[in-house]
Amino acid sequence: MKRYENGTISIPHKQMVELKNSGKLNLGMFNDIAVKIADNPDLAPKAKSSGVAMHFWSWIAVGQFLYSIYWSFTGLWWIFIPSFFLMGGIHKANKKGTSQNLLFEAERDKEFYEKIRKLDGWNYEVDESVAKKYIKK
């Protein structure tokens, strides 16, 4: 299987679902793009759970870091150091989770999938023989 990025190929929703269900395709998305999509009401899927989860975990990451700063002033001065790394870990996991949530929504929500497909936001991992049918001209 070969990876195709940045709009090299474009597969309509129906064929994408068929290829994915038959194991001939893996759909992907860059994590940074996923965060921007989930945060944009014009691009986000109908189900708002991806955006809600993303914002919830962002607040958890920032909140725990701010709480550690409070603890740094009131008792354990060094606690903000591991907390800073924990915040980074939560942020990285949050971006990956948002991407996975949007990939799940792409299978269920044809309108969402097609919006992102028109913006060349999907990455496809597919055999070259299958990709030849969908190469953009």
Side-chain angles (χ1 to χ4, degrees), residues 53-67 83 86-87 90-91 94:
M54 179 188 72
H55 289 291
F56 173 77
W57 286 106
S58 293
W59 280 106
I60 294 293
V62 171
Q64 68 83 28
F65 183 66
L66 293 176
Y67 189 66
S83 180
L86 178 61
M87 181 179 67
I90 292 172
H91 179 66
N94 190 21

Side-chain angles (χ1 to χ4, degrees):
M1 288 175 86
K2 184 177 175 185
R3 186 177 199 152
Y4 297 88
E5 301 173 349
N6 302 323
T8 307
I9 64 173
S10 184
I11 303 174
H13 185 263
K14 183 178 178 184
Q15 286 81 12
M16 181 275 296
V17 172
E18 290 171 2
L19 289 168
K20 188 159 179 27
N21 289 339
S22 67
K24 296 179 181 178
L25 175 134
N26 290 321
L27 187 64
M29 174 182 279
F30 292 118
N31 294 343
D32 293 334
I33 292 173
V35 170
K36 291 177 184 175
I37 289 170
D39 207 23
N40 185 334
D42 295 331
L43 297 176
K46 292 176 193 168
K48 302 297 180 197
S49 57
S50 299
V52 171
M54 179 188 72
H55 289 291
F56 173 77
W57 286 106
S58 293
W59 280 106
I60 294 293
V62 171
Q64 68 83 28
F65 183 66
L66 293 176
Y67 189 66
S68 75
I69 292 173
Y70 164 77
W71 269 100
S72 293
F73 285 111
T74 60
L76 302 172
W77 67 267
W78 53 268
I79 199 71
F80 77 94
I81 297 168
S83 180
F84 178 76
F85 292 106
L86 178 61
M87 181 179 67
I90 292 172
H91 179 66
K92 185 176 179 180
N94 190 21
K95 286 172 41 174
K96 183 173 181 161
T98 300
S99 179
Q100 293 297 319
N101 290 339
L102 292 181
L103 294 174
F104 176 72
E105 287 298 326
E107 289 182 57
R108 298 181 354 178
D109 187 348
K110 178 181 179 180
E111 183 181 328
F112 166 66
Y113 174 83
E114 293 297 335
K115 277 193 281 189
I116 305 306
R117 182 171 78 102
K118 288 177 185 167
L119 297 173
D120 296 329
W122 300 117
N123 298 328
Y124 301 97
E125 190 175 72
V126 66
D127 288 326
E128 290 183 55
S129 60
V130 174
K132 287 179 185 178
K133 300 175 191 174
Y134 302 104
I135 291 178
K136 289 177 87 174
K137 295 174 172 95

